[in-house]
Amino acid sequence: MRSVVGRPRTIPALPAALAAAAVLTALAAPAEARRGRHHHHASGGGYNPPYAAMVVDVKSGKTLHAVNEDALRHPASITKVMTLYMLFEQMERGKFALDSDLTISAHAAAQAPSKLGLRPGQTITVEDAIKAIVTKSANDVACAIGENIAGSEERFAQMMTAKAHALGMSRTQYANASGLPDPDQLTTARDLTVLARAIQDRFPHYYRYFQTRSFAFRGRVIGNHNHLLGNVQGVDGIKTGYTRDSGFNLMTAAKSDGRQIVAIVLGGKSGASRDRIMADLVRSSLPRAFAGARQAPPVTEVAERARPAVVADAVSRTRTQVASADDEDVETTGTTGEPLDIMPSRTTTTPGGTWKPGPQGASQSLPKAAQAYAGTSSAQAPFPGASKTAARMASTERDEPPKAVTGTRVVPTAWVIQLGAMDDEAKARSMLSEARAKAGGSLSKAAPYTVKVEHGGTTLYRARFSGFAEQDSAQDACTALKRSGFSCFATRS
């Protein structure tokens, strides 16, 4: 992960496992509030973020609205919902209390606005930190939370990514605790609906802080940026966000008449436009939500056995931190200079041959402790390589010939479906068998196979289905798999 120039002071850390991060997918970038096939490119001085949205009925688990829900987006300050999730978890374990002090480091104090403006060496109580995140969206406080939990913001981001994947947020990766611009800070509308439900399911006592309208801090009264609180019936949280790269984002939860929904809007053109869209979604979706007893299970973490091997990357990068903020407190805005890459990079596997990098020398390599991985509903989704991210890597992969699951030799067709890459071939085979059993007719003519991949000294096994001559047929089969609870992507063989 890239860090701010000048290494931050390290605070004694809680033990944390190195997490897997994700790789960019190829995106279709439709216009705001509708599906389409037109790509948006950087123009007029900045990346024009495409719109994405999703509404989920909490009690039934059904999707009530979805637009570009699986396309990668920058979360901006919605990142801080995961930051607080991590803090709440440490409080639940007795590591912190509401009156515990968090120390502000020089690194935390140097964060770009929005911020409280705390100086190095000062402290803030955990409860005030929570309120500062919910209302002010304070980047200095978010960074301090991460450092006090993990010892450094970098390590905390790895923990956040691991937690996201454990919750089933398979396409999310974090590079920092605040949501400040970073090309590797990525999520989807679907993943954020998972987080919105998870934080309520796991921490109902602490979730009430997201209803805070304002709080007093050292002579100042700080108001909440979420203008839907108190203005749209049923809305009880939870978080806004904005950077130039992300557009205007909003995560919302609402309850009314025994019904409960979570809703995500990403890439709004303005704060007011985003708020109008969200208000309309809440008003139209709540009456259609299920009012009976909850049928959908609470969001829980996946079993340890479902987690794949981690492929570490020690590449060191630096960046100058620019931009930040929430829509009502934009003191400076900026861009990473690296908008989401909407064109896929490709690799070729030749049966009986060896994979060779393309003319750019960029393999389908995995950045920053990344993995290619997907699986059942309790596993994580993969990302096809993205050219800009992959080009930053110096590692290479070697693919061995495809190995059929059924014993019959498989020659990959023009298009294939990949469910993931596991650290054990038996796991990859099991994943393919389960997917075929659940997907029914959509995979009746598909041939399951595995591909052994050597990456940076680590062996992974790609789980794939062949049998698709056209992209559309592969995408249709992948869509059917997703309805059965699997994550997947279509790619050229």
Side-chain angles (χ1 to χ4, degrees), residues 5-46:
V5 176
R7 299 296 297 174
R9 176 175 63 87
T10 298
I11 298 170
L14 296 174
L18 180 63
V23 194
L24 293 170
T25 45
L27 303 177
E32 183 177 24
R34 65 179 176 84
R35 293 185 184 272
R37 298 292 181 186
H38 304 290
H39 297 309
H40 289 251
H41 297 277
S43 61

Side-chain angles (χ1 to χ4, degrees), residues 76-371:
S77 285
I78 292 180
T79 295
K80 297 182 178 82
V81 177
M82 179 59 83
T83 300
L84 289 182
Y85 187 101
M86 303 294 287
L87 177 59
F88 295 161
E89 185 174 67
Q90 296 303 318
M91 294 168 67
E92 186 180 68
R93 294 173 179 173
K95 303 294 185 181
F96 295 93
L98 288 173
D99 60 355
S100 297
D101 285 332
L102 302 175
T103 302
I104 307 298
S105 71
H107 174 59
Q111 298 300 296
S114 175
K115 60 198 292 185
L116 284 185
L118 298 171
R119 297 188 301 275
Q122 288 188 309
T123 61
I124 183 172
T125 66
V126 165
E127 184 167 28
D128 280 348
I130 294 169
K131 293 177 179 178
I133 293 293
V134 170
T135 59
K136 179 73 170 175
S137 196
N139 294 322
D140 50 356
V141 174
C143 180
I145 289 172
E147 290 181 326
N148 279 266
I149 290 175
S152 72
E153 188 180 25
E154 181 172 1
R155 188 179 303 163
F156 185 67
Q158 294 167 355
M159 293 171 64
M160 292 168 73
T161 300
K163 185 62 64 177
H165 292 175
L167 290 169
M169 299 169 62
S170 56
R171 295 193 169 197
T172 295
Q173 69 176 30
Y174 294 105
N176 59 55
S178 62
L180 282 163
D182 190 296
D184 296 327
Q185 190 100 346
L186 298 166
T187 192
T188 67
R190 184 188 300 277
D191 278 5
L192 291 178
T193 66
V194 174
L195 179 59
R197 285 173 286 165
I199 199 165
Q200 296 180 74
D201 289 342
R202 177 77 183 275
F203 307 109
H205 178 68
Y206 296 130
Y207 176 76
R208 63 184 175 85
Y209 282 105
F210 287 101
Q211 302 170 15
T212 303
R213 304 284 184 86
S214 65
F215 93 108
F217 181 75
R218 300 179 184 178
R220 288 183 288 166
V221 176
I222 300 172
N224 197 316
H225 295 157
N226 188 351
H227 297 302
L228 269 62
L229 277 172
N231 292 315
V232 177
Q233 183 178 359
V235 171
D236 61 8
I238 98 171
K239 190 74 187 73
T240 62
Y242 170 81
T243 67
R244 184 178 299 169
D245 285 350
S246 73
F248 292 82
N249 299 343
L250 181 58
M251 174 188 285
T252 292
K255 300 176 184 177
S256 181
D257 299 325
R259 297 172 170 84
Q260 184 178 0
I261 63 171
V262 293
I264 307 296
V265 168
L266 304 176
K269 303 302 181 185
S270 68
S273 169
R274 173 208 61 197
D275 289 350
R276 285 193 299 271
I277 292 170
M278 181 63 82
D280 289 344
L281 287 175
V282 171
R283 292 180 181 123
S284 63
S285 300
L286 257 180
R288 297 188 289 119
F290 182 62
R294 181 166 176 170
Q295 300 173 336
V299 178
T300 56
E301 296 183 28
V302 297
E304 194 69 31
R305 62 176 175 80
R307 299 181 186 177
V310 171
V311 182
D313 164 36
V315 174
S316 175
R317 296 175 289 166
T318 60
R319 78 179 165 92
T320 301
Q321 194 174 43
V322 287
S324 111
D326 246 84
D327 30 307
E328 312 308 330
D329 200 27
V330 180
E331 299 178 34
T332 59
T333 59
T335 176
T336 61
E338 300 180 66
L340 294 184
D341 191 350
I342 61 177
M343 297 302 293
S345 63
R346 294 173 179 169
T347 59
T348 302
T349 302
T350 303
T354 302
W355 181 92
K356 297 186 183 299
Q360 299 292 330
S363 67
Q364 189 178 347
S365 52
L366 310 177
K368 295 196 328 175
Q371 61 196 3

